[in-house]
Amino acid sequence: MAGGLLMSGAVAALLTTALPAHASSPFDNPPPDKIVIDVATVNGSGCPAGTAAVAVSPDNTAFTVTYSAYLAQAGGNSDPTAFRKNCQLNLVVHVPQGFTYAIASADYRGFASLQRGATATQKASYYFQGSSNTVPRTHPFGGPYNDDWQATDSTDWAQLVWAPCGVLRNFNINTELRVNAGTTSPDKVSFMTMDSTDGDISTVYHMAWRQCPNS
């Protein structure tokens, strides 16, 4: 799927030590110039080739990922390997000179149908090429449950991980869905999705922005 996805949009932020006191929002003053984000690779059982799409928001403060085959399930006649699905996106972010960016928050959505006693988790982590993974954020769900679900990862400004200034480093997003059928109703299927058949359900990544030193 390399090269199969292309996203244009300004995704930038500045790498300095602190915001001025009056700048209360990490989304203030995004760079006006559009940038290009190429999806270098898409790997994982939750995002087979042709089942993930990326788009940027018109105001350049976020981008979305929409999946069409991201489903984990367990119980009943489920495939023994279907209880865990994952996806790794490797993005090449071309940032305007003098700027860098960070992920301020991420909104995940989908649908879950969990039998009584079944459990499910959604997990995500992020890192720049050559850097350590961020600590994974995990969101648990328990049955009985049969509804849409939503989970949000957010990071305080002081804890944001910024792309290094003046160096092109690929940005990696790792996500995972996991379902455990439990012992109450193991003969019935429980599942969790992070996909959309109509394009209305997307993962949204909100960008923070700052200007590089001496830019």
Side-chain angles (χ1 to χ4, degrees):
M1 190 162 181
L5 299 177
L6 178 66
M7 176 175 64
S8 298
V11 193
L14 291 179
L15 182 60
T16 49
T17 56
L19 273 179
H22 65 276
S24 59
S25 170
F27 310 111
D28 288 344
N29 303 317
D33 296 334
K34 298 286 186 181
I35 72 165
V36 173
I37 297 182
D38 297 308
V39 179
T41 58
V42 180
N43 293 310
S45 55
C47 52
T51 65
V54 182
V56 72
S57 66
D59 61 2
N60 301 325
T61 61
F63 66 90
T64 64
V65 181
T66 304
Y67 303 97
S68 60
Y70 207 147
L71 180 149
Q73 67 179 51
N77 60 354
S78 301
D79 187 300
T81 64
F83 77 97
R84 177 186 177 272
K85 294 295 178 73
N86 74 297
C87 183
Q88 176 169 320
L89 295 175
N90 185 287
L91 307 178
V92 184
V93 183
H94 304 278
V95 181
Q97 185 174 0
F99 292 89
T100 190
Y101 67 96
I103 299 293
S105 65
D107 299 322
Y108 297 92
R109 294 193 299 156
F111 184 85
S113 178
L114 304 176
Q115 303 295 331
R116 185 175 302 276
T119 60
T121 56
Q122 180 271 326
K123 183 168 71 172
S125 63
Y126 324 89
Y127 68 96
F128 292 100
Q129 180 183 5
S131 302
S132 300
N133 282 38
T134 57
V135 176
R137 307 287 183 88
T138 300
H139 301 276
F141 298 85
Y145 190 97
N146 191 60
D147 204 348
D148 295 330
W149 64 268
Q150 180 169 340
T152 297
D153 297 338
S154 59
T155 303
D156 292 337
W157 181 268
Q159 303 300 319
L160 291 177
V161 178
W162 301 94
C165 281
V167 179
L168 183 62
R169 296 284 177 83
N170 289 14
F171 182 61
N172 293 274
I173 301 172
N174 295 325
T175 57
E176 176 184 307
L177 295 181
R178 187 183 294 257
V179 176
N180 185 330
T183 58
T184 304
S185 303
D187 57 326
K188 297 180 180 179
V189 174
S190 292
F191 67 88
M192 186 178 195
T193 74
M194 196 158 64
D195 63 13
S196 173
T197 56
D198 57 9
D200 289 339
I201 299 178
S202 301
T203 300
V204 183
Y205 296 93
H206 301 278
M207 314 306 294
W209 316 79
R210 293 180 74 179
Q211 195 169 18
C212 292
N214 305 318
S215 61

